[in-house]
Amino acid sequence: MAGLARAGFAGLGLVQEDLAYILSHEAHGANRRARLEWMREIVDREGIEIVELEFLTNWMLPPDDARRQMEQPMRDLLMEAAPILGVSHIKIGNFGLPASVQDLRSRFAEICDEAAAAGARIGMEIFPIDPNAQTLDQALEWCGDNPNGGLFLDVWHVSHAPRITFEDVARLDKSLLVGVELDDGWLPTPEENAILNGPDGLGFAETTLNMRRLPGQGNFDIVGFVRAVVGTGFSGPWGNEILSEEFRRLPMDVAYPRVVRAANEQLDLALSPAFQPS
């Protein structure tokens, strides 16, 4: 965590498996609350201002569904940890389960209420494979009117979503955005896309979890995305999610400064009045 702060990061994101591992194997304290308080002491000492927790995927299912019940202990952990760690937001998403608008609205409101009681906000991350969020308008139909929830946008997913444009992003009200992430990658040609997503291809999970690059090292229009987000009036938090098999091999003292430098270069480009797209 100290390496994050030294590199220039003001925030920290933890998936539930990371959090559970730290509490079980690294944290000090006689019980879970004491161990969470130990973590909070480190967060404060290192100057980390923003803490993000993630990632729930079965929240839209009925309470008696076995998949939601299996996820419930992790949901409970995130809600318990949020007030102790000073969590700003909890990310959720949908990896492809269809649901009715009525069910989505009801269960999104439910988890938003849980998070509000824990002092955090819910960020609904938009995925290209989410059948209930193929457009921003479709997503906002069920998650756009809750004061304790909103959209979480990652340039990776927005760039891969065929029915979401930067113009759509720019039309959003800033109150609807909980957070934004920057990374980069390679948008395939139609022929390449057919291979990647075909029966023998890598598919969504493999490319998303292992093939991202630092901002500016792919062919995403990072500057256009940033300008669209800034056009809403959004001012942060900006995060990075470099899910890359190659990047994971780097030592932390090398990896962290590279991310900060790459992200800041793209932000500076986007916010420079002298910038002219090529």
Side-chain angles (χ1 to χ4, degrees):
M1 194 176 298
L4 285 173
R6 284 197 300 269
F9 285 105
L12 167 72
L14 293 169
V15 296
Q16 61 258 38
E17 291 86 358
D18 288 339
L19 179 60
Y21 182 88
I22 292 170
L23 293 175
S24 297
H25 299 283
E26 297 179 3
H28 300 289
N31 53 49
R32 195 154 81 176
R33 180 175 184 86
R35 292 171 183 174
L36 285 166
E37 290 173 345
W38 173 85
M39 289 183 65
R40 176 60 185 267
E41 290 176 3
I42 296 175
V43 166
D44 291 342
R45 184 176 70 236
E46 298 300 335
I48 300 297
E49 301 171 5
I50 300 168
V51 178
E52 167 193 281
L53 296 179
E54 58 175 330
F55 192 85
L56 300 174
T57 62
N58 293 322
W59 56 273
M60 83 292 295
L61 297 171
D64 61 353
D65 188 289
R67 291 164 294 181
R68 175 163 167 180
Q69 291 175 351
M70 289 180 64
E71 189 176 72
Q72 190 63 44
M74 285 300 183
R75 180 166 172 165
D76 294 340
L77 173 59
L78 297 188
M79 296 301 172
E80 178 186 355
I84 301 173
L85 295 180
V87 169
S88 60
H89 58 276
I90 298 171
K91 284 169 63 178
I92 66 173
N94 183 350
F95 287 160
L97 296 175
S100 70
V101 171
Q102 180 179 355
D103 285 345
L104 287 164
R105 185 179 291 122
S106 172
R107 288 169 191 146
F108 185 74
E110 176 190 346
I111 197 169
C112 285
D113 288 346
E114 283 186 49
R121 198 175 179 207
I122 291 293
M124 171 63 200
E125 187 162 14
I126 300 298
F127 293 140
I129 60 170
D130 183 348
N132 313 297
Q134 291 296 292
T135 69
L136 295 184
D137 285 342
Q138 184 186 18
L140 293 173
E141 188 177 359
W142 50 266
C143 75
D145 58 358
N146 193 299
N148 202 55
L151 301 178
F152 199 102
L153 300 181
D154 186 323
V155 68
W156 176 276
H157 299 304
V158 173
S159 296
H160 283 91
R163 297 176 61 192
I164 298 176
T165 68
F166 292 171
E167 289 76 14
D168 297 332
V169 172
R171 284 194 292 269
L172 292 170
D173 187 278
K174 65 179 180 180
S175 65
L176 296 171
L177 290 179
V178 175
V180 179
E181 286 175 335
L182 300 179
D183 41 59
D184 211 335
W186 296 98
L187 290 176
T189 65
E191 292 78 13
E192 292 170 336
N193 190 61
I195 296 171
L196 285 172
N197 293 294
D200 299 319
L202 296 176
F204 172 81
E206 176 66 22
T207 55
T208 298
L209 296 177
N210 289 319
M211 297 181 68
R212 302 197 198 192
R213 302 189 68 81
L214 296 180
Q217 293 187 357
N219 66 1
F220 293 177
D221 181 7
I222 306 293
V223 167
F225 176 74
V226 169
R227 289 189 165 188
V229 172
V230 171
T232 70
F234 178 80
S235 58
W238 297 87
N240 298 107
E241 193 171 63
I242 316 300
L243 303 179
S244 162
E245 182 178 357
E246 177 185 2
F247 194 71
R248 291 186 195 106
R249 298 173 183 171
L250 296 175
M252 289 181 286
D253 60 344
V254 173
Y256 293 164
R258 287 188 184 181
V259 178
V260 172
R261 184 166 57 250
N264 282 337
E265 285 175 356
Q266 294 300 305
L267 288 168
D268 289 344
L269 264 178
L271 301 177
S272 169
F275 175 77
Q276 294 294 328
S278 57

